[in-house]
Structure formats: structure tokens, C-alpha cells
């Protein structure tokens, strides 16, 4: 249970920092902040992917080799990371939309 709580805390921190960095990137139009937000989302996906792979694949497919476990964890981490990035990108666009509409009215 402690492992799950630690992973949940790491994912929460990385995800919220990723959203913050994407908001700053959209406000200040800086590409390196957007890249840092993407990195945070991918790191959160990596933490979840590795945890899920090592927890469940060990029970389901006990005779899996190291290469097979690595392939599954890599693909799962990338999919989860991209999903978190798309979600945080959509969230940052929704949060910044009222500011952009006020800016265009002026």
C-alpha cells in the first residue's frame, strides 16, 4: 500500500507541475516551458506504467523475460504519458480561454 501511495503522490506532483508549466508556456509563449510540461507528463506516465507493469505483469505472466517486461512497460508508459499530456494540454487550453477572449475584445 505504501508503494501505491508513493506512486500516487509522485504522479500527482508531476501532473500538476506539468499543467502549471503548460499554462505558463501558453501565457508567455515560451517553447521550453511547453517542453518541460511535456516532460512532466511523460515522467508521470512512466511512473504509472512501471508500477502497473511490475505489479500486475509479475502475477499474470510470471515466466516473462526481462526484454518482454521492458517492452510492455515502455509501451504502457508512453501511452499513459501521452494521455496525461493530452489531458493537461486540453485543461490548460480551457483555463486560458477566458483570458484570450478578454484579450481579443480589447
Amino acid at each position: 500500500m505504501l508503494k501505491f501511495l508513493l506512486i500516487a503522490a509522485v504522479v500527482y506532483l508531476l501532473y500538476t507541475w506539468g499543467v502549471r508549466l503548460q499554462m505558463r508556456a501558453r501565457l508567455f509563449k515560451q517553447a521550453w516551458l511547453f517542453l518541460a510540461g511535456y516532460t512532466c507528463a511523460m515522467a508521470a506516465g512512466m511512473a504509472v506504467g512501471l508500477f502497473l507493469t511490475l505489479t500486475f505483469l509479475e502475477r499474470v505472466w510470471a515466466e516473462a523475460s526481462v526484454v518482454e517486461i521492458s517492452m510492455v512497460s515502455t509501451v504502457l508508459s508512453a501511452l499513459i504519458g501521452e494521455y496525461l499530456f493530452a489531458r493537461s494540454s486540453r485543461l490548460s487550453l480551457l483555463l486560458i480561454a477566458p483570458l484570450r477572449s478578454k484579450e481579443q475584445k480589447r
Side-chain angles (χ1 to χ4, degrees):
M1 186 65 164
L2 180 62
K3 290 179 187 177
F4 171 75
L5 292 175
L6 288 174
I7 294 297
V10 166
V11 169
Y12 174 76
L13 288 175
L14 286 170
Y15 182 73
T16 55
W17 272 101
V19 171
R20 287 179 187 177
L21 289 171
Q22 286 184 5
M23 284 294 295
R24 288 180 185 167
R26 293 192 192 283
L27 284 173
F28 301 124
K29 295 178 179 42
Q30 294 182 348
W32 70 274
L33 286 173
F34 197 74
L35 181 63
Y38 179 76
T39 304
C40 285
M42 291 304 285
M46 185 182 67
V48 171
L50 286 174
F51 177 73
L52 290 176
T53 302
L54 294 177
T55 301
F56 297 115
L57 196 62
E58 183 178 290
R59 294 181 185 161
V60 175
W61 196 14
E63 62 275 353
S65 69
V66 173
V67 174
E68 292 166 337
I69 291 173
S70 298
M71 295 279 287
V72 170
S73 68
T74 301
V75 169
L76 188 63
S77 298
L79 290 174
I80 294 172
E82 289 293 333
Y83 170 75
L84 289 175
F85 174 71
R87 182 182 161 116
S88 64
S89 181
R90 210 171 345 162
L91 180 64
S92 66
L93 281 173
L94 287 174
L95 290 173
I96 204 147
L99 293 175
R100 287 198 176 178
S101 66
K102 286 181 183 177
E103 183 178 290
Q104 289 177 355
K105 289 181 182 177
R106 291 181 185 182

